[in-house]
Amino acid sequence: AQKVTQAQTEISVVEKEDVTLDCVYETRDTTYYLFWYKQPPSGELVFLIRRNSFDEQNEISGRYSWNFQKSTSSFNFTITASQVVDSAVYFCALSDLYNTDKLIFGTGTRLQVFP
Amino acid sequence: DTGVSQDPRHKITKRGQNVTFRCDPISEHNRLYWYRQTLGQGPEFLTYFQNEAQLEKSRLLSDRFSAERPKGSFSTLEIQRTEQGDSAMYLCASSLEAAGTEAFFGQGTRLTVV
């Protein structure tokens, strides 16, 4: 069965601290896609990044970086120098590639950044 | 394009009433998904359309739920004889037809059954 686990329910940091959100996934597929979405209080899920199973290169986008390790089935997300605007719930998701591409989400990590 | 839009944003209904939600996907997207999200949980898949064809329904989608996507454009999700357990955020997403492509989500419809 496919599953995504986000063990951190809530994280609180002070502005300018670095923070890492963990994501562990389970799948039997050899080809798959992983995603991170941000859900601010408004409710809309905002796409952040997509990574396919054949590309283990880490990615950096501004203050955001992602570390994908197939050996540990992890796809962690780091925010450097966090800001108050980063406060949101962050979801990691796995695409059910061979079955409609529907997303299987983790339970999310609520990040609170205090000034 | 303004993205995926959902209507209404909020709905309060009495138990036993029927409710209908609408989703307008991004115009060139032929894939459309409905998800349900309860408090403190991640979204859970409900159903999937490719153009006008409903190709998958989750076991979460009981007989009281029905979804349509006439002409492959907007979609509606109807819940009949609502129950308190139906209270949740209903999210719609759309995407292009390409493996592993990202889905774009609407702001959701928050349903409260009293």
Side-chain angles (χ1 to χ4, degrees), chain B residues 97-114:
Chain B
E97 188 175 351
T101 190
E102 64 268 29
F104 294 86
F105 284 79
Q107 289 186 301
T109 295
R110 183 169 295 284
L111 173 66
T112 303
V113 181
V114 297

Side-chain angles (χ1 to χ4, degrees), chain B residues 19-39:
Chain B
V19 294
T20 300
F21 311 141
R22 178 182 171 119
C23 170
D24 287 273
I26 293 172
S27 56
E28 62 266 28
H29 287 181
N30 56 359
R31 289 179 165 181
L32 188 145
Y33 303 84
W34 285 97
Y35 291 84
R36 181 171 68 187
Q37 184 180 18
T38 53
L39 201 60

Side-chain angles (χ1 to χ4, degrees), chain B residues 11-85:
Chain B
K11 178 72 176 179
I12 300 174
T13 191
K14 291 184 178 179
R15 190 172 49 187
Q17 297 293 306
N18 298 345
V19 294
T20 300
F21 311 141
R22 178 182 171 119
C23 170
D24 287 273
I26 293 172
S27 56
E28 62 266 28
H29 287 181
N30 56 359
R31 289 179 165 181
L32 188 145
Y33 303 84
W34 285 97
Y35 291 84
R36 181 171 68 187
Q37 184 180 18
T38 53
L39 201 60
Q41 299 297 314
E44 295 176 291
F45 169 78
L46 290 179
T47 191
Y48 163 70
F49 288 87
Q50 184 166 309
N51 298 310
E52 67 276 8
Q54 187 175 21
L55 297 184
E56 185 179 353
K57 295 197 299 185
S58 162
R59 286 173 295 176
L60 292 174
L61 216 63
S62 76
D63 291 343
R64 296 184 298 105
F65 287 71
S66 62
E68 295 183 340
R69 191 182 182 197
K71 301 179 183 178
S73 55
F74 71 92
S75 176
T76 58
L77 178 67
E78 180 183 15
I79 309 174
Q80 296 182 325
R81 305 180 304 281
T82 52
E83 302 173 355
Q84 286 190 321

Side-chain angles (χ1 to χ4, degrees), chain A residues 52-98:
Chain A
N52 76 52
S53 52
F54 296 109
D55 183 1
E56 288 194 72
Q57 280 192 331
N58 292 331
E59 182 155 341
I60 298 174
S61 176
R63 296 184 297 106
Y64 295 171
S65 63
W66 290 269
N67 182 284
F68 175 36
Q69 291 195 335
K70 285 179 76 171
S71 60
T72 55
S73 297
S74 65
F75 186 41
N76 296 337
F77 172 30
T78 297
I79 301 175
T80 303
S82 58
Q83 300 177 1
V84 173
V85 293
D86 295 327
S87 298
V89 181
Y90 291 87
F91 290 97
C92 180
L94 173 67
S95 176
D96 189 358
L97 194 62
Y98 298 102

